[in-house]
Amino acid sequence: MIQFLLNQELRSEHALDPNLTVLNYLREHVGKSGTKEGCASGDCGACTVVVGELHRNDQGVEQIRYRSLNSCLTFVSSLHGKQLISVEDLKHQGQLHSVQQAMVECHGSQCGFCTPGFVMSLFALQKNSDAPDSQKAHEALAGNLCRCTGYRPILAAAEQACCNKPQDQFDSREAQTIAQLKAIAPTQTGELNSGDKRCLVPLTVADLADLYDAYPQARLLAGGTDLALEVTQFHRTLPVMIYVGNIEEMKRIDAFDDRLEIGAATALSDCYAALHHEYPDFGDLLHRFASLQIRNQGTLGGNIGNASPIGDSPPLLIALGAQMVLCKGQTRRTLALEDYFIDYRVTARQDSEFIEKIIVPKGHALFRAYKVSKRLDDDISAVCAAFNLKLDNGVIRDARVAFGGMAATPKRAKHCETVLIGATWNAATVEKACAALAEDFTPLSDFRASKEYRLLSAQNLLRKYFIELQTPHIETRVTAYV
């Protein structure tokens, strides 16, 4: 059985189909049809809901953290122990919520289909903001698409909603909701079981290892932003899943003098602060990773584990020399992240083995990363590049150069590195290294970019890296477009 709050109503579910998304649960099982399906792939934001869960802030105070999610990519099992809020829950005692009222007064809705999703993103923004902030508003709304308004009135509504925000029913009931969430906090493995399909929800790494040994055919579910597409886009059935999002050990970030250790189930939005502090380019790229709704769900381990050749984080982690800890039963092994990728969607992971954490070295001052895509926000890379050199009196002592989107896997440019190592760091060396990239990669053409464009972009990004290190005041981090 799993338990969660539907606004303030306790829901206990056991026999639901584990392939059921939160979107369809709301619309088909509880009659809340305000949440819309626009794309079923996490691109449009019409299905946005907000999930609240217990969280301790930096001062150690327990509070509710509200996050926007794409309900079309969220399986119901992931709600275990949390609170689900949909657009119907905002109106209170006959009065519109302040974010809804702001949308009305700023004329932020025309056809209205996308409006519930915008309202829920604005609600999460309001809960997580103390004052109007244009940058945060753009970030919060980047995953919501509207074909009518041109966004200006919606951004005006965001400013109004976050300015002198009044207390709402969620604020006044916070203590009550915290008590309810504590009362339903999971204490043992939960389960959804519809007879022919099941999803197990362990609470510890040891329990996960035992369950994965018992069900080696199971699909591991973290954020679900990739896995859920098999159900929503390809109409496949997932007979057995194991949800790892309630394993606190796998959601920790531990900082040491020489490294960061990031649990594989850590949401990308939770990775931002630590990675940005150590490597600003990594943090900047995370801001361009899909949308806030996706970053609130998607995990660092999932972005690695799905072995996509265009995943944004693997090239950066490879260039930094990151490692991963893989667990199988009671056995653990540490593997260089670059050795995890064997071929297109083929990895070195063994049966019943899972990624437990990622180890990111510190101290690489010359690390830079760049993403080329068709638009700034909410888009997939055509080319993603990461460069990491060690210089000694102008001579390159070590070089790690990695790319995504250039091959069947995220991959180091070994010929390019060979040209660089031992050479003087100057324009002539860079041109030789650019030529060597043609030996490292034979990229494909697809709807994102042609093979010629990809190779030229990769070469130009290396030139860009050289120019920025020579004249750091002109840096333009992670801002390339196709």
Side-chain angles (χ1 to χ4, degrees):
M1 180 177 70
I2 67 167
Q3 289 186 308
F4 59 93
L5 298 179
L6 182 61
N7 192 9
Q8 297 296 309
E9 177 192 354
L10 175 62
R11 306 286 294 194
S12 299
E13 303 285 2
H14 178 262
L16 288 176
D17 180 350
N19 289 226
L20 182 68
T21 64
V22 170
L23 171 67
N24 289 332
Y25 179 78
L26 286 170
R27 294 181 63 83
E28 298 172 7
H29 288 255
V30 295
K32 293 191 172 188
S33 56
T35 307
K36 308 299 184 186
E37 178 180 304
C39 65
S41 60
D43 290 322
C44 73
C47 71
T48 301
V49 296
V50 168
V51 168
E53 54 187 319
L54 292 177
H55 173 73
R56 289 193 181 276
N57 64 19
D58 294 339
Q59 289 73 44
V61 177
E62 196 165 44
Q63 56 187 202
I64 302 173
R65 179 174 65 185
Y66 295 97
R67 282 187 162 169
S68 56
L69 303 176
N70 292 122
S71 62
C72 72
L73 297 181
T74 306
F75 291 122
V76 173
S77 53
S78 68
L79 297 177
H80 193 28
K82 301 172 186 175
Q83 180 189 29
L84 173 63
I85 301 170
S86 69
V87 69
E88 289 89 348
D89 301 321
L90 298 196
K91 189 176 180 179
H92 184 59
Q93 296 180 346
Q95 298 295 315
L96 293 178
H97 191 275
S98 57
V99 298
Q100 295 172 310
Q101 191 64 41
M103 285 285 282
V104 172
E105 294 176 2
C106 296
H107 308 287
S109 179
Q110 289 189 33
C111 82
F113 188 86
C114 67
T115 301
F118 273 101
V119 165
M120 296 311 296
S121 289
L122 287 176
F123 172 72
L125 173 66
Q126 186 192 69
K127 288 298 177 191
N128 294 299
S129 300
D130 295 323
D133 185 315
S134 176
Q135 182 177 351
K136 287 183 179 178
H138 280 85
E139 180 185 23
L141 298 176
N144 294 80
L145 302 182
C146 178
R147 298 185 65 170
C148 302
T149 66
Y151 300 101
R152 185 200 57 76
I154 299 174
L155 289 168
E159 180 177 359
Q160 177 174 316
C162 295
C163 184
N164 301 317
K165 57 183 180 182
Q167 187 179 61
D168 62 15
Q169 69 269 29
F170 301 97
D171 298 322
S172 60
R173 291 195 305 239
E174 183 176 21
Q176 174 189 341
T177 305
I178 288 175
Q180 289 177 289
L181 290 174
K182 284 183 175 179
I184 65 170
T187 57
Q188 60 185 10
T189 297
E191 180 175 3
L192 279 181
N193 191 325
S194 62
D196 59 336
K197 296 182 284 293
R198 65 191 311 198
C199 180
L200 299 155
V201 188
L203 301 179
T204 67
V205 170
D207 288 344
L208 169 59
D210 289 343
L211 288 171
Y212 209 13
D213 259 349
Y215 301 98
Q217 80 281 16
R219 303 295 296 275
L220 294 187
L221 170 65
T225 57
D226 187 68
L227 182 63
L229 296 176
E230 296 193 24
V231 174
T232 64
Q233 297 290 298
F234 299 102
H235 306 291
R236 297 172 185 156
T237 296
L238 304 176
V240 184
M241 289 186 283
I242 302 175
Y243 175 62
V244 303
N246 280 18
I247 301 175
E248 292 301 322
E249 301 159 84
M250 292 177 62
K251 296 165 69 177
R252 292 174 50 185
I253 300 177
D254 295 314
F256 300 90
D257 290 341
D258 62 340
R259 68 193 187 280
L260 295 171
E261 294 190 359
I262 302 175
T266 306
L268 291 164
S269 52
D270 289 331
C271 295
Y272 171 79
L275 288 170
H276 185 265
H277 178 266
E278 191 64 31
Y279 300 113
D281 271 38
F282 209 137
D284 290 347
L285 186 136
L286 283 182
H287 266 307
R288 292 187 57 200
F289 190 114
S291 64
L292 182 59
Q293 291 98 316
I294 295 294
R295 295 194 295 276
N296 285 339
Q297 287 179 271
T299 63
L300 187 60
N303 192 236
I304 297 165
N306 68 17
S308 169
I310 51 175
D312 281 345
S313 70
L316 282 65
L317 294 167
I318 290 171
L320 287 168
Q323 297 176 306
M324 57 204 308
V325 176
L326 295 160
C327 180
K328 176 181 170 68
Q330 296 183 348
T331 303
R332 286 176 171 81
R333 63 179 176 129
T334 301
L335 182 71
L337 193 134
E338 65 188 277
D339 295 333
Y340 179 75
F341 305 101
I342 305 299
D343 202 345
Y344 179 72
R345 300 279 188 175
V346 177
T347 71
R349 187 183 66 84
Q350 301 170 4
D351 289 343
S352 298
E353 189 174 48
F354 58 91
I355 306 170
E356 183 179 0
K357 60 184 174 183
I358 298 94
I359 302 171
V360 184
K362 290 183 175 182
H364 296 284
L366 300 183
F367 172 80
R368 298 291 186 275
Y370 310 99
K371 174 176 176 174
V372 179
S373 57
K374 287 183 177 292
R375 60 179 185 260
L376 181 65
D377 292 312
D378 200 10
D379 201 8
I380 295 172
S381 296
V383 177
C384 186
F387 304 100
N388 185 18
L389 297 189
K390 290 183 179 178
L391 299 179
D392 183 8
N393 293 322
V395 176
I396 305 166
R397 298 304 180 193
D398 192 22
R400 295 182 69 91
V401 178
F403 287 90
M406 296 288 289
T409 64
K411 183 181 172 185
R412 286 176 70 179
K414 293 294 185 69
H415 289 92
C416 176
E417 292 175 355
T418 299
V419 169
L420 291 170
I421 295 173
T424 301
W425 182 232
N426 57 30
T429 298
V430 170
E431 289 308 310
K432 291 178 183 178
C434 285
L437 286 174
E439 300 178 59
D440 284 307
F441 300 108
T442 307
L444 298 175
S445 294
D446 60 19
F447 66 93
R448 291 188 183 90
S450 67
K451 60 184 180 181
E452 295 84 2
Y453 185 93
R454 282 191 161 100
L455 181 57
L456 180 59
S457 293
Q459 293 168 332
N460 283 340
L461 291 175
L462 178 54
R463 296 181 179 110
K464 176 182 174 71
Y465 175 62
F466 172 72
I467 293 169
E468 288 189 358
L469 291 194
Q470 300 302 109
T471 51
H473 63 281
I474 67 165
E475 290 185 8
T476 53
R477 300 178 187 274
V478 213
T479 55
Y481 298 83
V482 168

